Amino acid sequence: MLLLCFALISQAIPFLHAICTGSLFTSNRRLYQFSNMLIPVVDFAAYKLGKHEVSGEQLESLSGELKAAFTEVGFVYLKNTGITQQEVDEVMNISKKFFLQPDDKKQPFLRTSFANSPNHGWLCSETESLNPKRPGDLKEAFNTASLHPGMNWPELEGLCGFREIQTSFFLRCKDLCLHVLRVMAHCLGLEAEVFLNAHRLIGTEGNGSTLRSLYYPQVRSDRVKEDQLRCGEHSDYGSITLVFQSQEGGLQVQTRSGKFISAPSIPETVLINVADLMQRWTGDVFLSVIHRVLLPPAGDTSTRQSLAFFVQPDDEVIITCCDGSNKYPPVQAGDYLLQRLNNSFVEGQSISHT
């Protein structure tokens, strides 16, 4: 028994040291060692926002790290991207103020009520079921899917700056995703324009990229339906997704073995995952993997928030395997997105081309 206690204490000492010194979060190697995480953390400082060029050596290094992550896991944490925690907190704070409004105040901004951008706007809880075999997801969302100046935005009490904060963050995410897509092209030995030219219209009506602010309210165990989750198992639809999380847990990622592992919030990072069209595009080189958000433990009344920037190719882009193979048939990006969206919403929430 004494030997066992000594062994446990000996193993705990390096972990405690890592917490005290901060090295748990600053050293990728130690992050693996102590948390048994399979999702790597990559330092993106060499090509963070504000840097318009990256040296060949730095690009080669980033490409190697991202390729390893996207071919083995499908997810990666990026740190030092140029997007600050303060920016993330600002979006989450103003979003939460909106979500806490009475439903009748949010109703005028309901998704599908915007003719020019039917995926824009508010979704009430249980409207969406990302795993159709489960009941509706226990989450609300506000989609920023259009930057058109004529869009109607919430201007309720306490929501001053809602539009400006959401659209500003949308543009920050757009800039970061283009940096990431350039590195991803280099991973495959492709010219950067192969991916960049297919995402030129982000922020316009010709591209379905969406900033989604998500709110997971308190869970009442007596009201939860059988097999219901905060967010059912699914893969994303487009090119890549940028995810920013609050500190509450719940997000899980499925490994190749079929096991689900936690993907916790790490301050000052963005979690990026490959989506389905990118997997098709690369002929299964990059992996789009299943993920979900669990219910909190019984008795846990905490809420949860996240921001997800879903990066889509331009609507008219035809996605074919970039290696020239016929592993997947050609598909138009806009049509594919529309089909996937309509499959995930309850009756009455489907959308069509305008």
Side-chain angles (χ1 to χ4, degrees):
M1 179 64 72
L2 288 174
L3 287 175
L4 177 59
C5 291
F6 178 77
L8 291 173
I9 292 171
S10 299
Q11 291 179 15
I13 288 173
F15 179 75
L16 294 172
H17 173 75
I19 293 175
C20 294
T21 61
S23 60
L24 179 65
F25 299 102
T26 57
S27 167
N28 299 356
R29 189 181 304 276
R30 288 188 176 180
L31 187 61
Y32 281 118
Q33 181 180 351
F34 295 122
S35 67
N36 295 318
M37 289 177 62
L38 300 178
I39 304 174
V41 180
V42 172
D43 191 336
F44 207 67
Y47 200 25
K48 67 180 182 180
L49 294 181
K51 291 197 172 184
H52 303 293
E53 294 297 332
V54 58
S55 71
E57 182 180 351
Q58 291 170 324
L59 182 58
E60 198 66 33
S61 175
L62 284 176
S63 296
E65 292 183 280
L66 289 195
K67 185 173 184 179
F70 289 150
T71 57
E72 296 169 14
V73 189
F75 277 74
V76 67
Y77 290 98
L78 296 187
K79 64 180 183 178
N80 297 321
T81 61
I83 293 180
T84 67
Q85 190 63 44
Q86 181 178 352
E87 290 178 272
V88 174
D89 291 343
E90 185 178 37
V91 183
M92 287 192 178
N93 290 340
I94 196 75
S95 297
K96 188 170 186 178
K97 290 179 180 178
F98 172 79
F99 291 124
L100 293 179
Q101 298 287 324
D103 282 1
D104 64 320
K105 299 288 187 182
K106 295 179 283 189
Q107 195 71 24
F109 311 102
L110 192 67
R111 175 186 175 272
T112 71
S113 64
F114 299 89
N116 293 331
S117 185
N119 194 40
H120 185 91
W122 173 60
L123 290 81
C124 60
S125 186
E126 301 187 70
T127 298
E128 186 177 42
S129 183
L130 289 177
N131 180 349
K133 296 180 181 179
R134 293 186 182 272
D137 297 339
L138 292 171
K139 66 179 190 293
E140 292 185 45
F142 188 93
N143 292 346
T144 298
S146 174
L147 304 184
H148 193 279
M151 298 296 289
N152 183 28
W153 289 81
E155 295 181 356
L156 305 171
E157 184 177 353
L159 291 178
C160 180
F162 184 89
R163 173 179 183 166
E164 292 75 14
I165 291 171
Q166 300 286 346
T167 56
S168 174
F169 196 74
F170 182 109
L171 294 172
R172 294 282 281 169
C173 290
K174 171 189 172 181
D175 290 344
L176 179 59
C177 84
L178 295 177
H179 283 218
V180 174
L181 287 169
R182 179 185 174 189
V183 177
M184 292 175 73
H186 190 79
C187 291
L188 303 170
L190 302 173
E191 293 294 328
E193 286 69 25
V194 172
F195 290 156
L196 297 183
N197 285 347
H199 296 83
R200 290 180 300 171
L201 301 180
I202 292 177
T204 75
E205 306 306 315
N207 180 288
S209 296
T210 300
L211 172 63
R212 170 174 270 198
S213 183
L214 291 144
Y215 178 68
Y216 302 84
Q218 291 182 356
V219 173
R220 289 275 303 271
S221 57
D222 58 325
R223 296 183 180 179
V224 174
K225 300 179 178 71
E226 184 178 1
D227 294 329
Q228 196 167 30
L229 294 179
R230 276 181 157 172
C231 183
E233 297 86 353
H234 68 285
S235 57
D236 294 342
Y237 310 152
S239 303
I240 57 175
T241 306
L242 282 58
V243 180
F244 306 83
Q245 306 180 72
S246 61
Q247 291 301 304
E248 298 77 19
L251 178 62
Q252 290 191 324
V253 174
Q254 190 175 45
T255 65
R256 285 189 172 189
S257 68
K259 177 184 176 182
F260 278 94
I261 61 169
S262 293
S265 170
I266 300 178
E268 305 287 346
T269 68
V270 53
L271 182 62
I272 298 184
N273 63 281
V274 174
D276 292 346
L277 282 180
M278 181 61 72
Q279 178 167 328
R280 295 173 68 111
W281 217 339
T282 62
D284 294 338
V285 175
F286 293 154
L287 301 177
S288 176
V289 302
I290 301 293
H291 47 286
R292 65 187 182 186
V293 179
L294 297 180
L295 297 178
D300 185 340
T301 59
S302 62
T303 61
R304 180 182 187 273
Q305 284 184 264
S306 65
L307 306 172
F309 187 68
F310 296 101
V311 182
Q312 294 289 141
D314 298 338
D315 291 347
E316 300 300 320
V317 168
I318 304 298
I319 303 298
T320 59
C321 297
C322 58
D323 61 1
S325 71
N326 59 356
K327 198 165 190 177
Y328 293 98
V331 64
Q332 190 176 59
D335 290 342
Y336 182 84
L337 173 62
L338 192 64
Q339 176 190 354
R340 294 293 301 274
L341 286 173
N342 286 338
N343 287 342
S344 67
F345 285 95
V346 299
E347 187 177 353
Q349 289 287 321
S350 63
I351 57 178
S352 60
H353 286 301
T354 56

PDB file of all heavy atoms in Angstrom, residues 179-200:
ATOM      1  N   HIS A 179      -6.011  31.885 -43.775  1.00  0.00           N
ATOM      2  CA  HIS A 179      -4.640  31.514 -43.421  1.00  0.00           C
ATOM      3  C   HIS A 179      -4.516  29.997 -43.277  1.00  0.00           C
ATOM      4  O   HIS A 179      -3.564  29.385 -43.772  1.00  0.00           O
ATOM      5  CB  HIS A 179      -4.238  32.198 -42.106  1.00  0.00           C
ATOM      6  CG  HIS A 179      -3.900  33.645 -42.259  1.00  0.00           C
ATOM      7  ND1 HIS A 179      -2.871  34.249 -41.549  1.00  0.00           N
ATOM      8  CD2 HIS A 179      -4.423  34.621 -43.023  1.00  0.00           C
ATOM      9  CE1 HIS A 179      -2.800  35.526 -41.875  1.00  0.00           C
ATOM     10  NE2 HIS A 179      -3.741  35.771 -42.766  1.00  0.00           N
ATOM     11  N   VAL A 180      -5.476  29.405 -42.586  1.00  0.00           N
ATOM     12  CA  VAL A 180      -5.436  27.962 -42.360  1.00  0.00           C
ATOM     13  C   VAL A 180      -5.583  27.203 -43.672  1.00  0.00           C
ATOM     14  O   VAL A 180      -4.875  26.217 -43.923  1.00  0.00           O
ATOM     15  CB  VAL A 180      -6.538  27.547 -41.357  1.00  0.00           C
ATOM     16  CG1 VAL A 180      -6.606  26.019 -41.222  1.00  0.00           C
ATOM     17  CG2 VAL A 180      -6.285  28.185 -39.988  1.00  0.00           C
ATOM     18  N   LEU A 181      -6.482  27.648 -44.538  1.00  0.00           N
ATOM     19  CA  LEU A 181      -6.687  26.967 -45.820  1.00  0.00           C
ATOM     20  C   LEU A 181      -5.432  27.017 -46.690  1.00  0.00           C
ATOM     21  O   LEU A 181      -5.129  26.065 -47.417  1.00  0.00           O
ATOM     22  CB  LEU A 181      -7.871  27.586 -46.562  1.00  0.00           C
ATOM     23  CG  LEU A 181      -9.251  27.269 -45.996  1.00  0.00           C
ATOM     24  CD1 LEU A 181     -10.313  28.145 -46.648  1.00  0.00           C
ATOM     25  CD2 LEU A 181      -9.592  25.789 -46.171  1.00  0.00           C
ATOM     26  N   ARG A 182      -4.694  28.123 -46.609  1.00  0.00           N
ATOM     27  CA  ARG A 182      -3.449  28.200 -47.369  1.00  0.00           C
ATOM     28  C   ARG A 182      -2.465  27.143 -46.888  1.00  0.00           C
ATOM     29  O   ARG A 182      -1.822  26.458 -47.692  1.00  0.00           O
ATOM     30  CB  ARG A 182      -2.826  29.594 -47.245  1.00  0.00           C
ATOM     31  CG  ARG A 182      -1.517  29.713 -48.006  1.00  0.00           C
ATOM     32  CD  ARG A 182      -0.815  31.037 -47.797  1.00  0.00           C
ATOM     33  NE  ARG A 182       0.496  31.032 -48.450  1.00  0.00           N
ATOM     34  CZ  ARG A 182       1.408  31.980 -48.302  1.00  0.00           C
ATOM     35  NH1 ARG A 182       1.162  33.026 -47.527  1.00  0.00           N
ATOM     36  NH2 ARG A 182       2.567  31.904 -48.925  1.00  0.00           N
ATOM     37  N   VAL A 183      -2.347  26.996 -45.575  1.00  0.00           N
ATOM     38  CA  VAL A 183      -1.432  25.989 -45.026  1.00  0.00           C
ATOM     39  C   VAL A 183      -1.909  24.590 -45.404  1.00  0.00           C
ATOM     40  O   VAL A 183      -1.105  23.718 -45.738  1.00  0.00           O
ATOM     41  CB  VAL A 183      -1.316  26.136 -43.495  1.00  0.00           C
ATOM     42  CG1 VAL A 183      -0.425  25.041 -42.921  1.00  0.00           C
ATOM     43  CG2 VAL A 183      -0.763  27.506 -43.121  1.00  0.00           C
ATOM     44  N   MET A 184      -3.216  24.365 -45.378  1.00  0.00           N
ATOM     45  CA  MET A 184      -3.753  23.056 -45.726  1.00  0.00           C
ATOM     46  C   MET A 184      -3.456  22.693 -47.179  1.00  0.00           C
ATOM     47  O   MET A 184      -3.176  21.528 -47.501  1.00  0.00           O
ATOM     48  CB  MET A 184      -5.258  23.024 -45.456  1.00  0.00           C
ATOM     49  CG  MET A 184      -5.611  23.093 -43.975  1.00  0.00           C
ATOM     50  SD  MET A 184      -7.391  23.201 -43.670  1.00  0.00           S
ATOM     51  CE  MET A 184      -7.911  21.530 -44.079  1.00  0.00           C
ATOM     52  N   ALA A 185      -3.529  23.677 -48.060  1.00  0.00           N
ATOM     53  CA  ALA A 185      -3.177  23.419 -49.462  1.00  0.00           C
ATOM     54  C   ALA A 185      -1.711  23.007 -49.570  1.00  0.00           C
ATOM     55  O   ALA A 185      -1.364  22.057 -50.298  1.00  0.00           O
ATOM     56  CB  ALA A 185      -3.451  24.661 -50.309  1.00  0.00           C
ATOM     57  N   HIS A 186      -0.857  23.710 -48.829  1.00  0.00           N
ATOM     58  CA  HIS A 186       0.573  23.374 -48.850  1.00  0.00           C
ATOM     59  C   HIS A 186       0.810  21.958 -48.330  1.00  0.00           C
ATOM     60  O   HIS A 186       1.714  21.255 -48.812  1.00  0.00           O
ATOM     61  CB  HIS A 186       1.356  24.385 -48.021  1.00  0.00           C
ATOM     62  CG  HIS A 186       2.834  24.266 -48.167  1.00  0.00           C
ATOM     63  ND1 HIS A 186       3.529  24.776 -49.247  1.00  0.00           N
ATOM     64  CD2 HIS A 186       3.766  23.676 -47.376  1.00  0.00           C
ATOM     65  CE1 HIS A 186       4.815  24.515 -49.117  1.00  0.00           C
ATOM     66  NE2 HIS A 186       4.992  23.850 -47.983  1.00  0.00           N
ATOM     67  N   CYS A 187       0.004  21.533 -47.354  1.00  0.00           N
ATOM     68  CA  CYS A 187       0.111  20.165 -46.825  1.00  0.00           C
ATOM     69  C   CYS A 187       0.039  19.128 -47.936  1.00  0.00           C
ATOM     70  O   CYS A 187       0.686  18.072 -47.872  1.00  0.00           O
ATOM     71  CB  CYS A 187      -1.034  19.871 -45.854  1.00  0.00           C
ATOM     72  SG  CYS A 187      -1.032  20.747 -44.297  1.00  0.00           S
ATOM     73  N   LEU A 188      -0.788  19.427 -48.920  1.00  0.00           N
ATOM     74  CA  LEU A 188      -1.064  18.472 -49.987  1.00  0.00           C
ATOM     75  C   LEU A 188      -0.230  18.719 -51.235  1.00  0.00           C
ATOM     76  O   LEU A 188      -0.427  18.058 -52.261  1.00  0.00           O
ATOM     77  CB  LEU A 188      -2.549  18.545 -50.352  1.00  0.00           C
ATOM     78  CG  LEU A 188      -3.526  18.284 -49.200  1.00  0.00           C
ATOM     79  CD1 LEU A 188      -4.945  18.619 -49.628  1.00  0.00           C
ATOM     80  CD2 LEU A 188      -3.433  16.844 -48.744  1.00  0.00           C
ATOM     81  N   GLY A 189       0.692  19.680 -51.156  1.00  0.00           N
ATOM     82  CA  GLY A 189       1.501  20.009 -52.318  1.00  0.00           C
ATOM     83  C   GLY A 189       0.748  20.767 -53.378  1.00  0.00           C
ATOM     84  O   GLY A 189       1.126  20.757 -54.558  1.00  0.00           O
ATOM     85  N   LEU A 190      -0.341  21.455 -52.971  1.00  0.00           N
ATOM     86  CA  LEU A 190      -1.156  22.209 -53.910  1.00  0.00           C
ATOM     87  C   LEU A 190      -0.832  23.694 -53.841  1.00  0.00           C
ATOM     88  O   LEU A 190      -0.342  24.186 -52.820  1.00  0.00           O
ATOM     89  CB  LEU A 190      -2.642  22.030 -53.577  1.00  0.00           C
ATOM     90  CG  LEU A 190      -3.187  20.602 -53.570  1.00  0.00           C
ATOM     91  CD1 LEU A 190      -4.627  20.606 -53.064  1.00  0.00           C
ATOM     92  CD2 LEU A 190      -3.120  19.979 -54.964  1.00  0.00           C
ATOM     93  N   GLU A 191      -1.128  24.408 -54.905  1.00  0.00           N
ATOM     94  CA  GLU A 191      -1.047  25.859 -54.862  1.00  0.00           C
ATOM     95  C   GLU A 191      -2.135  26.380 -53.917  1.00  0.00           C
ATOM     96  O   GLU A 191      -3.241  25.841 -53.858  1.00  0.00           O
ATOM     97  CB  GLU A 191      -1.261  26.445 -56.267  1.00  0.00           C
ATOM     98  CG  GLU A 191      -0.160  26.112 -57.247  1.00  0.00           C
ATOM     99  CD  GLU A 191       1.178  26.759 -56.868  1.00  0.00           C
ATOM    100  OE1 GLU A 191       1.150  27.870 -56.291  1.00  0.00           O
ATOM    101  OE2 GLU A 191       2.224  26.138 -57.132  1.00  0.00           O
ATOM    102  N   ALA A 192      -1.816  27.441 -53.182  1.00  0.00           N
ATOM    103  CA  ALA A 192      -2.763  27.984 -52.203  1.00  0.00           C
ATOM    104  C   ALA A 192      -4.093  28.343 -52.848  1.00  0.00           C
ATOM    105  O   ALA A 192      -5.161  28.212 -52.230  1.00  0.00           O
ATOM    106  CB  ALA A 192      -2.155  29.206 -51.521  1.00  0.00           C
ATOM    107  N   GLU A 193      -4.047  28.790 -54.117  1.00  0.00           N
ATOM    108  CA  GLU A 193      -5.263  29.254 -54.790  1.00  0.00           C
ATOM    109  C   GLU A 193      -6.292  28.135 -54.985  1.00  0.00           C
ATOM    110  O   GLU A 193      -7.479  28.415 -55.198  1.00  0.00           O
ATOM    111  CB  GLU A 193      -4.913  29.865 -56.150  1.00  0.00           C
ATOM    112  CG  GLU A 193      -4.254  31.232 -56.072  1.00  0.00           C
ATOM    113  CD  GLU A 193      -2.841  31.198 -55.492  1.00  0.00           C
ATOM    114  OE1 GLU A 193      -2.192  30.120 -55.602  1.00  0.00           O
ATOM    115  OE2 GLU A 193      -2.406  32.211 -54.925  1.00  0.00           O
ATOM    116  N   VAL A 194      -5.853  26.876 -54.929  1.00  0.00           N
ATOM    117  CA  VAL A 194      -6.809  25.779 -55.101  1.00  0.00           C
ATOM    118  C   VAL A 194      -7.926  25.890 -54.069  1.00  0.00           C
ATOM    119  O   VAL A 194      -9.111  25.715 -54.384  1.00  0.00           O
ATOM    120  CB  VAL A 194      -6.099  24.412 -54.987  1.00  0.00           C
ATOM    121  CG1 VAL A 194      -7.123  23.272 -54.977  1.00  0.00           C
ATOM    122  CG2 VAL A 194      -5.114  24.226 -56.133  1.00  0.00           C
ATOM    123  N   PHE A 195      -7.580  26.184 -52.831  1.00  0.00           N
ATOM    124  CA  PHE A 195      -8.586  26.372 -51.791  1.00  0.00           C
ATOM    125  C   PHE A 195      -9.045  27.829 -51.680  1.00  0.00           C
ATOM    126  O   PHE A 195     -10.230  28.105 -51.507  1.00  0.00           O
ATOM    127  CB  PHE A 195      -8.059  25.902 -50.439  1.00  0.00           C
ATOM    128  CG  PHE A 195      -7.902  24.399 -50.322  1.00  0.00           C
ATOM    129  CD1 PHE A 195      -7.018  23.848 -49.410  1.00  0.00           C
ATOM    130  CD2 PHE A 195      -8.631  23.536 -51.130  1.00  0.00           C
ATOM    131  CE1 PHE A 195      -6.877  22.472 -49.291  1.00  0.00           C
ATOM    132  CE2 PHE A 195      -8.491  22.157 -51.028  1.00  0.00           C
ATOM    133  CZ  PHE A 195      -7.607  21.620 -50.103  1.00  0.00           C
ATOM    134  N   LEU A 196      -8.108  28.759 -51.778  1.00  0.00           N
ATOM    135  CA  LEU A 196      -8.472  30.168 -51.571  1.00  0.00           C
ATOM    136  C   LEU A 196      -9.457  30.671 -52.618  1.00  0.00           C
ATOM    137  O   LEU A 196     -10.398  31.406 -52.301  1.00  0.00           O
ATOM    138  CB  LEU A 196      -7.216  31.035 -51.559  1.00  0.00           C
ATOM    139  CG  LEU A 196      -6.207  30.763 -50.429  1.00  0.00           C
ATOM    140  CD1 LEU A 196      -5.051  31.748 -50.504  1.00  0.00           C
ATOM    141  CD2 LEU A 196      -6.882  30.830 -49.071  1.00  0.00           C
ATOM    142  N   ASN A 197      -9.258  30.288 -53.867  1.00  0.00           N
ATOM    143  CA  ASN A 197     -10.163  30.749 -54.927  1.00  0.00           C
ATOM    144  C   ASN A 197     -11.577  30.210 -54.770  1.00  0.00           C
ATOM    145  O   ASN A 197     -12.534  30.773 -55.307  1.00  0.00           O
ATOM    146  CB  ASN A 197      -9.624  30.347 -56.305  1.00  0.00           C
ATOM    147  CG  ASN A 197      -8.446  31.200 -56.736  1.00  0.00           C
ATOM    148  OD1 ASN A 197      -8.169  32.242 -56.133  1.00  0.00           O
ATOM    149  ND2 ASN A 197      -7.737  30.763 -57.768  1.00  0.00           N
ATOM    150  N   ALA A 198     -11.705  29.115 -54.027  1.00  0.00           N
ATOM    151  CA  ALA A 198     -13.024  28.521 -53.809  1.00  0.00           C
ATOM    152  C   ALA A 198     -13.741  29.137 -52.613  1.00  0.00           C
ATOM    153  O   ALA A 198     -14.876  28.746 -52.308  1.00  0.00           O
ATOM    154  CB  ALA A 198     -12.886  27.016 -53.607  1.00  0.00           C
ATOM    155  N   HIS A 199     -13.093  30.085 -51.932  1.00  0.00           N
ATOM    156  CA  HIS A 199     -13.695  30.726 -50.754  1.00  0.00           C
ATOM    157  C   HIS A 199     -13.640  32.247 -50.873  1.00  0.00           C
ATOM    158  O   HIS A 199     -13.593  32.958 -49.882  1.00  0.00           O
ATOM    159  CB  HIS A 199     -12.958  30.276 -49.482  1.00  0.00           C
ATOM    160  CG  HIS A 199     -13.074  28.807 -49.190  1.00  0.00           C
ATOM    161  ND1 HIS A 199     -12.257  27.868 -49.779  1.00  0.00           N
ATOM    162  CD2 HIS A 199     -13.915  28.120 -48.363  1.00  0.00           C
ATOM    163  CE1 HIS A 199     -12.578  26.665 -49.335  1.00  0.00           C
ATOM    164  NE2 HIS A 199     -13.581  26.783 -48.474  1.00  0.00           N
ATOM    165  N   ARG A 200     -13.674  32.763 -52.094  1.00  0.00           N
ATOM    166  CA  ARG A 200     -13.539  34.206 -52.306  1.00  0.00           C
ATOM    167  C   ARG A 200     -14.770  34.978 -51.861  1.00  0.00           C
ATOM    168  O   ARG A 200     -14.680  36.171 -51.573  1.00  0.00           O
ATOM    169  CB  ARG A 200     -13.276  34.493 -53.797  1.00  0.00           C
ATOM    170  CG  ARG A 200     -11.900  34.066 -54.286  1.00  0.00           C
ATOM    171  CD  ARG A 200     -11.731  34.384 -55.753  1.00  0.00           C
ATOM    172  NE  ARG A 200     -12.737  33.679 -56.567  1.00  0.00           N
ATOM    173  CZ  ARG A 200     -12.942  33.908 -57.860  1.00  0.00           C
ATOM    174  NH1 ARG A 200     -12.263  34.855 -58.475  1.00  0.00           N
ATOM    175  NH2 ARG A 200     -13.854  33.217 -58.516  1.00  0.00           N
TER     176      ARG A 200
END
